[in-house]
Amino acid sequence: MKLALGPNLYYWSQDKQQEFYSAIATSPVDIVYLGETVCSRRHLIRLPDWLELAQKLTDAGKEVVLSTQTLIESESDLKTLRRITNNKTFRVEANDMGAARLLNEQGIPFVAGQTLNVYNPSTLNLMAKLGAMRWVIPMEMSRVALMPMQAARPEGLETEVFSYGRMPLAFSARCFTARHYNLPKDDCQFRCIDHADGLTLNTREGEAFLVLNGIQTQSAKVNNLLGEVWELQKAGVDILRISPQAFHTPRMVQLFRDTMDEKITPQKALRTMQKLMPESACDGYWHGKPGLDRLYADSMTD
Amino acid sequence: MPHENKMELVCPAGSLPALKVAVDNGADCVYMGFRDNTNARNFAGLNFDIATAREGVRYAHSHGAKVLLALNTYPQSSGSEKWLTAIDNAHHLGIDAVILADPGLMQYACDTYPDLRLHLSVQGSATNYEAINFYHQQFGIQRAVLPRVLALKQVEQLMQNTPVEIELFGFGGLCVMVEGRCSLSSYVTGESPNTCGVCSPAKSVQWKQTAAGLESHLNGVLIDRYADSENAGYPTLCKGRFNVAGATYYAIEEPTSLNTLELLPDLMRMGIAAIKIEGRQRSPAYVAKVTRVWREAIGACRRNPDKFNIKPAWMTDLGKLSEGQQSTLGAYNRPWK
């Protein structure tokens, strides 16, 4: 199995971003997804910068994939999208059917992203026919639901599973970060930059429930399938995705790698992780339960 | 404008009585679902079996109205036969169009029944013309229902770049999130619109009277707490009050409904093919009232678009039927975002 680093879902300063990807360049991750997938107003890093970074990471031996914006609303969003799908160098992850269409038209193989809603074998086969060389399973898909997909998938199609990080659960036209600050979206003053891991939404009982990240809503809990590495492998999963968090991401990558290489046990790795995660772990979706449930027994000893 | 005089009023039918009153009050089309998880209003006691569907089609057709069938959930990896059978049944029943979200199902429908008209459901999350043209090119969809996220200007631009007819939500429950890309409900309850055809399902709701007030919980998660003076609403999880950085407020959206009546002249001028009324889960009385108001308003606007005035009585009637008695123009009006 390979390890992938998903696109950074947050908005960081250029310095922080640069520092982050420098560390990633030397981390044991095989694939790096780059690009702004959440909000077109986030402008500190533009496409030429992403392409430059993509080249650097390629030189460092990583497979680089450019991820497209998930919610495409305007002509200017489409312009950016076309610039990405027309880049002749790097593979593209399509996060909207519009992106899939543009890539299909050019006959370019692509990664079918999570939000394309590939829930059943006929849709999976259709995406493969249109040019998908890899697909990322929907966030909600369980191990049991994945099995028939794996059995039916066309030869050579790779399967990727979101295995670590706060889960993107919803997208809106409304910016919830701007709303929090009573600012209109068009004059948001880029407040996302003050929240490197998003803005936590608590219930009135003080339970961390969701995370507001601009127009995206995430789980507060961290989806963590480290304890399921062998199950994932048995299920024929090719790639595990780690989603960037503001802190300790290279460390998390290392812990996954070491567990996969059997250098440490999942139990030991998880004990280390517990101190480094922004919130407690969950893994409900993988087990066919509510996403926020935690089924894996963290307290298990070696 | 080619569609100007054709704008259809598409009304919800959660039951045969609702279907009949929609037709009686002037709906051009009614939309319905079968009694299972093949549609996104999979609620207990709602929807149609084959016999009631047949009677519904007969009633609508004999009164000159069309019937659309929502098959807009995503077949899960095992058991997609139920969805395929539903398409077979739609064809046999003489349904005028099926509303689909899943590409695999669209492929089946256009391969098996080339004469069956396909509409792209709002659950298909198509918010731009490249996506809509994808479904048109691959499966020949003839109409797309847009997610409630675009500003009116964006809708207009989209329409200039696609041959596909556009249907917009005009009134009813407001999804703040892009439909088809929201799994908040399954995060909390295990069931979502995409997988089960439900959002914040009733079986996961618990009400608790506490010293702090009446509380609504969804599978144990506190969604809202009401003071004695407040009216409690259904705990749809994006419409609860939460705490963000010390402030307690409707962090995602207030309990409110969409009402676009004042946009009607613009929508007509733009050539919107159809206006959709949300609410298959609502009563026949709701359907009758909303249909009557919109029928009258569309008629008035068609006769004299430049001098279209909203009658106060329409707004009063619709206001009473809105969630929390509040309404909004939603994303069609840019400041909402």
Side-chain angles (χ1 to χ4, degrees):
Chain A
M1 274 191 303
K2 288 182 178 174
L3 271 183
L5 182 80
N8 175 23
L9 304 175
Y10 306 108
Y11 192 42
W12 297 341
S13 70
Q14 279 156 307
D15 286 351
K16 180 166 173 61
Q17 188 111 321
Q18 209 161 24
E19 198 185 316
F20 177 81
Y21 283 108
S22 297
I24 289 303
T26 56
S27 77
V29 75
D30 306 290
I31 305 163
V32 181
Y33 290 84
L34 292 178
E36 178 53 56
T37 59
V38 177
C39 178
S40 59
R41 288 180 51 76
R42 296 174 175 181
H43 64 300
L44 281 177
I45 300 181
R46 294 181 181 277
L47 188 58
D49 307 312
W50 286 117
L51 292 171
E52 197 187 312
L53 179 58
Q55 194 52 56
K56 273 188 196 159
L57 288 165
T58 305
D59 295 343
K62 310 298 183 196
E63 177 198 327
V64 173
V65 183
L66 301 177
S67 293
T68 67
Q69 195 169 299
T70 303
L71 172 56
I72 309 244
E73 295 174 272
S74 65
E75 193 58 44
S76 99
D77 289 346
L78 282 171
K79 263 186 203 141
T80 309
L81 175 65
R82 287 190 197 101
R83 282 165 66 207
I84 295 171
T85 56
N86 290 341
N87 104 84
K88 300 276 182 249
T89 315
F90 302 101
R91 185 162 283 155
V92 176
E93 177 187 44
N95 290 318
D96 180 85
M97 232 28 125
R101 169 180 152 90
L102 294 172
L103 292 156
N104 168 255
E105 267 183 347
Q106 301 178 75
I108 301 173
F110 61 91
V111 179
Q114 222 167 21
T115 43
L116 293 194
N117 286 342
V118 180
Y119 281 101
N120 53 66
S122 25
T123 301
L124 183 64
N125 278 292
L126 186 71
M127 291 318 297
K129 217 170 68 191
L130 293 171
M133 44 70 66
R134 180 185 300 160
W135 70 297
V136 188
I137 78 169
M139 205 67 258
E140 299 173 304
M141 186 170 274
S142 68
R143 185 184 64 82
V144 171
L146 176 61
M147 297 318 283
M149 306 292 279
Q150 294 294 78
R153 75 174 151 162
E155 185 94 19
L157 183 73
E158 296 176 330
T159 302
E160 180 168 333
V161 175
F162 186 104
S163 304
Y164 178 85
R166 286 178 147 159
M167 296 181 279
L169 295 176
F171 299 82
S172 176
R174 173 176 274 176
C175 175
F176 304 109
T177 305
R179 179 176 169 86
H180 175 70
Y181 289 105
N182 279 318
L183 292 168
K185 185 183 181 186
D186 292 336
D187 181 25
C188 67
Q189 298 173 20
F190 309 104
R191 293 296 180 95
C192 284
I193 210 160
D194 299 330
H195 304 282
D197 259 337
L199 187 53
T200 303
L201 176 153
N202 299 287
T203 69
R204 286 159 87 181
E205 290 173 323
E207 181 191 352
F209 176 35
L210 299 170
V211 164
L212 306 177
N213 176 37
I215 64 133
Q216 185 184 64
T217 307
Q218 303 180 335
S219 64
K221 288 189 177 170
V222 180
N223 185 52
N224 192 339
L225 300 184
L226 184 78
E228 315 293 337
V229 161
W230 308 123
E231 286 295 321
L232 287 153
Q233 191 161 45
K234 256 200 284 182
V237 170
D238 302 281
I239 299 155
L240 305 186
R241 175 177 292 204
I242 293 176
S243 189
Q245 298 293 156
F247 305 99
H248 312 299
T249 300
R251 190 76 202 282
M252 296 299 183
V253 169
Q254 190 67 55
L255 287 165
F256 263 88
R257 186 78 266 167
D258 289 348
T259 308
M260 288 154 71
D261 293 346
E262 298 188 62
K263 286 185 185 157
I264 52 170
T265 63
Q267 290 81 5
K268 193 165 174 209
L270 279 165
R271 274 200 298 276
T272 309
M273 278 185 171
Q274 265 162 9
K275 292 166 234 148
L276 307 175
M277 293 192 296
E279 191 53 53
S280 57
C282 65
D283 55 13
Y285 279 136
W286 178 248
H287 295 279
K289 303 280 183 212
L292 53 68
D293 283 0
R294 179 62 168 166
L295 279 295
Y296 186 86
D298 288 309
S299 56
M300 272 165 59
T301 49
D302 308 51
Chain B
M1 282 287 159
H3 303 297
E4 195 167 314
N5 291 315
K6 290 199 303 192
M7 181 192 272
E8 290 182 335
L9 179 60
V10 182
C11 295
S15 65
L16 193 55
L19 180 145
K20 288 182 174 172
V21 295
V23 170
D24 295 346
N25 283 281
D28 298 301
C29 307
V30 290
Y31 65 105
M32 59 157 143
F34 286 133
R35 197 168 284 168
D36 54 29
N37 59 350
T38 59
N39 75 94
R41 290 287 184 280
N42 176 24
F43 301 165
L46 215 61
N47 296 321
F48 291 71
D49 57 21
I50 295 293
T52 45
R54 186 174 295 121
E55 170 55 17
V57 171
R58 188 202 62 76
Y59 189 86
H61 284 176
S62 67
H63 290 76
K66 292 180 201 159
V67 180
L68 316 178
L69 183 78
L71 293 170
N72 56 349
T73 49
Y74 289 85
Q76 299 299 294
S77 60
S78 51
S80 59
E81 293 75 20
K82 205 195 295 179
W83 280 262
L84 304 184
T85 307
I87 290 180
D88 297 340
N89 286 333
H91 188 258
H92 304 332
L93 285 165
I95 295 282
D96 296 282
V98 287
I99 310 169
L100 304 176
D102 180 63
L105 278 188
M106 289 180 208
Q107 186 74 67
Y108 174 80
C110 78
D111 288 350
T112 318
Y113 305 108
D115 59 329
L116 183 60
R117 189 178 151 96
L118 307 184
H119 290 187
L120 176 64
S121 166
V122 69
Q123 296 299 127
S125 322
T127 57
N128 61 83
Y129 60 81
E130 294 290 3
I132 290 171
N133 291 342
F134 167 83
Y135 294 100
H136 179 64
Q137 185 184 23
Q138 297 292 331
F139 317 110
I141 62 148
Q142 297 184 52
R143 182 182 292 181
V145 187
L146 297 188
R148 283 159 272 195
V149 298
L150 297 181
L152 217 48
K153 256 200 175 138
Q154 292 170 333
V155 175
E156 200 160 15
Q157 190 155 39
L158 178 153
M159 291 177 70
Q160 287 160 5
N161 291 282
T162 180
V164 174
E165 296 174 2
I166 297 300
E167 177 171 319
L168 289 185
F169 274 94
F171 182 82
L174 175 71
C175 264
V176 192
M177 305 302 181
V178 184
E179 293 89 338
R181 287 189 187 152
C182 179
S183 35
L184 290 175
S185 178
S186 62
Y187 179 61
V188 178
T189 72
E191 298 189 342
S192 74
N194 282 1
T195 58
C196 300
V198 294
C199 171
S200 309
K203 66 178 182 197
S204 301
V205 173
Q206 300 107 16
W207 292 95
K208 284 185 200 165
Q209 188 64 58
T210 69
L214 178 65
E215 293 183 349
S216 58
H217 294 251
L218 199 61
N219 197 20
V221 175
L222 179 62
I223 303 300
D224 212 340
R225 179 186 286 153
Y226 299 93
D228 290 344
S229 57
E230 293 177 317
N231 287 323
Y234 188 86
T236 305
L237 73 90
C238 61
K239 292 177 179 172
R241 275 174 290 192
F242 300 101
N243 187 291
V244 182
T248 298
Y249 64 110
Y250 292 106
I252 298 173
E253 176 61 307
E254 285 90 8
T256 183
S257 288
L258 178 73
N259 183 4
T260 64
L261 209 51
E262 67 175 87
L263 303 177
L264 202 46
D266 290 325
L267 302 178
M268 235 177 233
R269 176 187 50 76
M270 285 162 59
I272 297 291
I275 289 286
K276 181 166 217 147
I277 307 296
E278 187 274 349
R280 282 193 285 136
Q281 72 284 14
R282 306 288 297 258
S283 67
Y286 163 96
V287 174
K289 235 177 222 168
V290 179
T291 304
R292 196 180 316 134
V293 168
W294 277 84
R295 180 78 278 156
E296 226 181 278
I298 289 173
C301 189
R302 199 172 276 161
R303 282 190 298 276
N304 200 346
D306 297 330
K307 290 201 175 127
F308 175 70
N309 281 316
I310 295 176
K311 285 192 192 163
W314 295 341
M315 290 309 253
T316 314
D317 281 353
L318 294 180
K320 282 188 210 145
L321 301 169
S322 297
E323 193 179 348
Q325 264 104 65
Q326 296 187 70
S327 68
T328 170
L329 289 172
Y332 299 128
N333 182 30
R334 184 87 196 167
W336 177 88
K337 297 183 178 183

